[in-house]
Each structure stands twice: as C-alpha cells, then as structure tokens.
Amino acid sequence: MPDFVRTIDLFCGAGGLSVGFEQLSGLPFKTVWANDSNGFAADTFNLNFGPVCRAGDIVDLLKDPSVPVPQVDVVMGGPPCQGFSLLNKQRGDDPRSKLWIPFMEVVRRSGARLFLMENVPQLLGSREHQELCARASSMGFTVWSGALVAADYGVPQTRKRAFIVGSMDSDPAEFFPPPVTHCKPGAPTTVQPWRTVADAIADLPPPVGTEIRSIAPPLDLHFGRNPTEKSRARYLAIPEQGMNRLDLQRAAPEITPDCWIRKTSGGTDLFGRLWWDRPAFTVRTEFYKPEKGRYLHPEQHRPITHREAARFQSFPDSFRFTGTKVEIARQIGNAVPPLLAAALARQLYLLHRAAQQE
C-alpha cells in the first residue's frame, strides 16, 4: 500500500470533496485537517472522517497560535461562493469573494505542492480569479482553471462548477480537465450516457412522515413535508414530467402567485417537475421548496426528499448526516458532488505521482 497523500479540506461542509478523495477514488488520500464555519457541518464531517475538522472562522483560526496548520500534500476546498453567484450579481464587492486569501495562506503554511479550489462558474474571468492566479504564480504554482459539469462524471445532476488547480511541480493543464466518463445521450462517443433521475431514485418507495427517522439508510432521510392545500392543488395542476410555473399559470391561473404571473421572462425551472430520463438540475440548499427551482418529483405530487437530493449529489447512502432538517439540506446543497470529486482526485494523484518520479 503506498503512503497516504495527506490533504486539508477547507470550507469543507459535510465533506463532499473528502468523500470523493478518500472513499470513491480508490486512491490513498487521507484528510488530516479540515475546517468549516458551520458547527453542524463540522459535526457531520467528523462523524464520517474522525475528529479532524475544526469549526470556526478560518481567519480567526489562522490568527490563533495554538492552532497549527499540519504539513500536507494537497489543500482543497470551496470558499463560499455568494460573492460570485448569479443570485447575488447586483451586490458589487462582496467580502465573501475574498476568502481565497486565507485559503492560499493555508496552502503556504502547510507546504502543499498541490491545491484544488471549487467555486461557481462566475468566478472564472473575475477580478478575484485574476488576483488568485497572480498570488498562486508568485508562490511558485502553475495554474489550470476550468468549468466542469457534474453529469459528465457520473453524477445524476447537471451541476456546473469552476475548479482551479495549482501545482508546483508540473503543468496541471497536462492532467486537467479529467476525462469525461459519461455524456449526454446521443452524443457520438463510447462513454456511458448521463445518469438520470430514474437511475438515482426510482428504487425508493414513497416517503413516510415529515421528520428524520432513526432507521437504517436510505429511508432515514426519506421523509416528506406538510404542504398547504393551495400548494397541493398546484402540484396536482402540473402532473406531467417537465412541467413548470408557466404550465401552472396556463392550467390554473387562479392559484398561480401574482409575482409569477408578472414575471414574463427567465425562471422556467421554478416550480418545475423533474424528468425520469434526464439528470436532475442543480441541487441547492432549499431543494425542499419547489418554488425555488425544479424540485418536484417526476410523478408524485411532492418536492424531492433529503435522501433523493443526497443521491442526486452522489452521496453514498452510507454517508451519515447530522443536524436539523434545514442544516442537513444546507450540507447536501453546498457539497461538491463526491463522484465529481473522485474524478478530480484521480487526476491530482497523477500530478502527485509525476512529481515524485521526477
């Protein structure tokens, strides 16, 4: 067995990156230190990986001399993306878009010769992206940046995210992007077709109750909600796969919210039903609210459950979440899909091995 490749997982959330690296890549990665500002997420991380995650603000931790940063091979993580998100594009300079600075400080202190950063695609080409790449270059790193679609790597979800890879020893552009393993059906290629909603959740029975249950997975997180009568009527008014708020307006204008009627452009996924034969759309932190996106079950008259969302993110059923329903939903929606993380891990391992053989 080769020596472990030691990693730090920053802004780690529940641990989507570490699941991919440690559990799904088939390679000897080991997270030895992690951090998240959310205590519930840190508890989930420690439940699955052992007591390596320190909860708290990373800036404060870096100021504390009693908190040493261990020496590692790789630093990875996804600084909070609100500063770049399309949902926040009118807010101007957002201090949360600067959290790459403590990330790179951890890279420096840890002696890591590789780093991997995840964020929303809007990061690419931004001023912060340029500043980050300049900082990495001044530290001796060669950088690759690009956007990847999770469905191309076996995740049953069309989530698109930006990744930045830095290496002190080789040009990461020789190893990235990872070769795709899945593709949109009908594409002229020999790789497998995208995994679909049916692939991910068709085996699950209808959900029971409205609370987390103390039973074995996957049914522990497979619970429903108590919709209002008006919400239930809205679900019934759009029974076919792929329907959305525009179909609701045509079928039942009397129960369509006025704000949706006034909204004449954009937002076609709001109050949308999923399709069985396509991947899910991006799972966000409030996936249990169908007014927030395409989160209605393909045929049952309800939003998707926490278990279904976790499967769309490619979390194994054996992964254990802890916290309230809202906190677990936040952990699921904020995570890097583990199967996408595993594809990234395999390429980083090749980079690491290439440096060792030089």
Side-chain angles (χ1 to χ4, degrees):
M1 182 70 177
D3 293 336
F4 282 114
V5 180
R6 291 162 57 88
T7 66
I8 288 176
D9 194 345
L10 296 177
F11 311 99
C12 61
L17 277 171
S18 286
V19 175
F21 274 65
E22 282 199 27
Q23 300 177 8
L24 302 183
S25 72
L27 296 168
F29 286 98
K30 182 67 175 176
T31 300
V32 299
W33 199 76
N35 165 256
D36 198 87
S37 61
N38 184 291
F40 292 101
D43 288 344
T44 290
F45 193 99
N46 288 334
L47 185 63
N48 289 275
F49 299 100
V52 298
C53 183
R54 290 287 299 263
D57 187 294
I58 186 61
V59 175
D60 293 337
L61 290 176
L62 290 175
K63 292 177 181 177
D64 186 345
S66 69
V67 182
V69 175
Q71 298 297 290
V72 298
D73 304 293
V74 180
V75 174
M76 59 188 180
C81 60
Q82 292 94 330
F84 305 115
S85 173
L86 282 173
L87 300 176
N88 293 276
K89 62 184 178 180
Q90 303 300 327
R91 295 187 181 180
D93 286 340
D94 188 322
R96 290 167 296 183
S97 66
K98 297 290 187 181
L99 286 171
W100 62 266
I101 296 175
F103 179 99
M104 294 305 296
E105 176 61 16
V106 172
V107 172
R108 185 188 70 81
R109 293 192 193 184
S110 69
R113 302 187 70 82
L114 292 166
F115 73 81
L116 167 71
M117 184 182 292
E118 177 265 354
N119 218 286
V120 293
Q122 290 74 33
L123 168 64
L124 301 179
S126 69
R127 183 183 64 199
E128 287 77 15
H129 179 228
Q130 295 170 1
E131 292 174 353
L132 166 59
C133 291
R135 174 73 62 87
S137 179
S138 72
M139 294 169 61
F141 287 94
T142 303
V143 174
W144 172 88
S145 304
L148 303 178
V149 176
D152 290 342
Y153 300 94
V155 180
Q157 179 192 173
T158 55
R159 189 185 198 94
K160 187 177 183 180
R161 283 295 183 269
F163 292 92
I164 302 172
V165 178
S167 171
M168 279 193 169
D169 301 299
S170 303
D171 184 354
E174 297 176 9
F175 300 84
F176 286 85
V180 300
T181 59
H182 296 70
C183 69
K184 192 172 184 177
T189 178
T190 58
V191 301
Q192 301 176 66
W194 279 349
R195 295 186 65 237
T196 66
V197 167
D199 293 329
I201 69 168
D203 64 311
L204 293 172
V208 173
T210 59
E211 301 296 332
I212 301 168
R213 291 187 285 166
S214 297
I215 60 175
L219 301 184
D220 54 341
L221 297 182
H222 194 50
F223 54 86
R225 302 190 75 199
N226 280 320
T228 65
E229 286 304 314
K230 181 172 286 188
S231 291
R232 196 182 303 274
R234 289 169 179 162
Y235 303 161
L236 291 167
I238 51 169
E240 301 297 326
Q241 297 176 47
M243 284 184 161
N244 59 24
R245 68 175 179 88
L246 300 178
D247 297 294
L248 174 64
Q249 182 177 339
R250 284 189 286 268
E254 71 281 1
I255 57 173
T256 302
D258 290 340
C259 60
W260 291 357
I261 293 175
R262 292 194 298 269
K263 187 178 178 64
T264 57
S265 63
T268 58
D269 291 325
L270 297 180
F271 215 74
R273 280 194 184 273
L274 294 165
W275 288 268
W276 278 123
D277 61 353
R278 303 184 192 182
F281 284 52
T282 299
V283 173
R284 297 190 177 94
T285 57
E286 292 186 311
F287 56 78
Y288 49 87
K289 297 180 179 180
E291 65 272 19
K292 298 284 188 176
R294 191 172 289 278
Y295 299 137
L296 287 173
H297 189 276
E299 59 185 41
Q300 297 173 28
H301 301 304
R302 59 171 180 82
I304 60 174
T305 69
H306 285 52
R307 175 58 64 197
E308 289 166 336
R311 285 192 173 184
F312 293 151
Q313 280 280 63
S314 74
F315 275 100
D317 287 346
S318 58
F319 188 85
R320 296 171 291 174
F321 292 93
T322 187
T324 65
K325 293 187 290 186
V326 170
E327 289 293 342
I328 291 175
R330 185 174 291 123
Q331 293 167 32
I332 293 169
N334 280 335
V336 176
L339 279 177
L340 175 55
L344 294 161
R346 295 182 187 109
Q347 300 309 111
L348 275 176
Y349 189 74
L350 293 176
L351 257 175
H352 175 73
R353 294 290 292 170
Q356 287 187 322
Q357 293 168 5
E358 288 181 355

